[in-house]
């Protein structure tokens, strides 16, 4: 009992400190051009926003694409898990300059800082290939992420992603916000699943499918999403999908133990290769 009270008080203290830090940092947020301010506005209302390499105009985008293409080519056939599902192939590429330089481009950090409201910590980047599977499992189940109070994940599509490639899909944040009945219903289902995630048919019974937002896009599309705020998943696919997942939190994040996977040995780190020049 005493421990529970202590735990609750520590939680309240930490939330209060967080609110104070947000308010103290507000005057220091970088100024954004109107077209980038719209991204932050959409993230606040919707929980996700589509942009592109073209719109962001980052100097290192060509290097990023060149590196992605060449490291993807070194990925081998997918492994199967115990249930026979094809596991995603994930490379941690945080340590490779072409990826970390792009992920730390000032314009991108400025947009993210305006959304997060605090100095940003770039946690890392995964290069990831997802495969077709019969049933939903892993990140194809509906879930919310846990690294921090506000998280931004930048998903960069490395080829045209259409319905059959299993685009990122989410439930707009106003449909599951706190004090909304759906918030409790979906949390109950997440709890019942052991926080592994909810299947389409279960979510459909709470929030009908026609309210879900799918994010197909051409190569170079970037989905920015607060994956803590919104229920999300990768849709079932019949074709492979390759993308980069760049992860940002406040510095420090609320749950640093959930961030280590972006730089430690949880996933394979490819040997650094001498990149060949490619003509685009
Ligand atoms: Fe997620």
């Amino acid at each position: 009992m005493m421990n529970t009270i202590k735990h609750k008080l520590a939680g309240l203290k930490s939330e209060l400190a967080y609110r104070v830090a947000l308010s103290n940092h507000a005057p220091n947020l970088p100024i954004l051009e109107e077209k980038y301010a719209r991204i932050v506005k959409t993230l606040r209302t919707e929980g996700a926003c589509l942009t592109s390499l073209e719109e962001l105009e980052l100097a290192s985008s060509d290097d990023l694409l060149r590196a992605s293409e060449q490291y993807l080519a070194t990925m081998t056939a997918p492994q199967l898990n115990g249930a026979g599902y094809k596991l995603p192939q994930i490379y941690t590429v945080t340590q490779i300059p072409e990826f970390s330089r792009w992920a730390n481009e000032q314009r991108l950090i400025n947009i993210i800082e305006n959304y997060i409201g605090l100095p940003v910590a770039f946690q890392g980047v995964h290069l990831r290939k997802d495969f077709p599977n019969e049933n939903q499992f892993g990140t194809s189940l509906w879930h919310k992420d846990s690294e921090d109070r506000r998280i931004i994940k930048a998903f960069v599509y490395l080829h045209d992603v259409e319905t059959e490639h299993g685009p990122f899909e989410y439930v707009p944040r106003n449909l599951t916000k706190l004090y909304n009945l759906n918030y409790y219903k979906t949390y109950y289902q997440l709890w019942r699943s052991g926080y592994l995630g909810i299947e389409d048919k279960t979510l459909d019974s709470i929030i009908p499918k026609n309210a879900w937002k799918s994010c197909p896009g051409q190569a170079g599309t970037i989905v920015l999403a607060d994956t803590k705020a919104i229920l999300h998943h990768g849709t079932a696919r019949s074709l492979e999908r390759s993308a980069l997942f760049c992860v940002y939190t406040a510095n420090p994040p609320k749950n640093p133990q959930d961030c280590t996977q972006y730089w430690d040995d949880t996933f394979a780190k490819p040997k650094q290769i001498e990149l060949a020049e490619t003509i685009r």
Side-chain angles (χ1 to χ4, degrees), residues 226-243:
D226 181 344
T227 54
K228 164 72 181 173
I230 52 173
L231 272 170
H232 63 279
H233 76 152
T235 322
R237 58 184 59 82
S238 55
L239 293 172
E240 290 176 15
R241 185 197 71 184
S242 299

Side-chain angles (χ1 to χ4, degrees), residues 139 141 143-147 153 155 168 227-228 230 232-234 245 262:
T139 53
L141 291 165
H143 65 283
K144 288 182 177 176
D145 296 341
S146 59
E147 292 90 336
K153 293 200 178 170
F155 304 102
F168 180 83
T227 54
K228 164 72 181 173
I230 52 173
H232 63 279
H233 76 152
F245 289 28
Y262 304 111

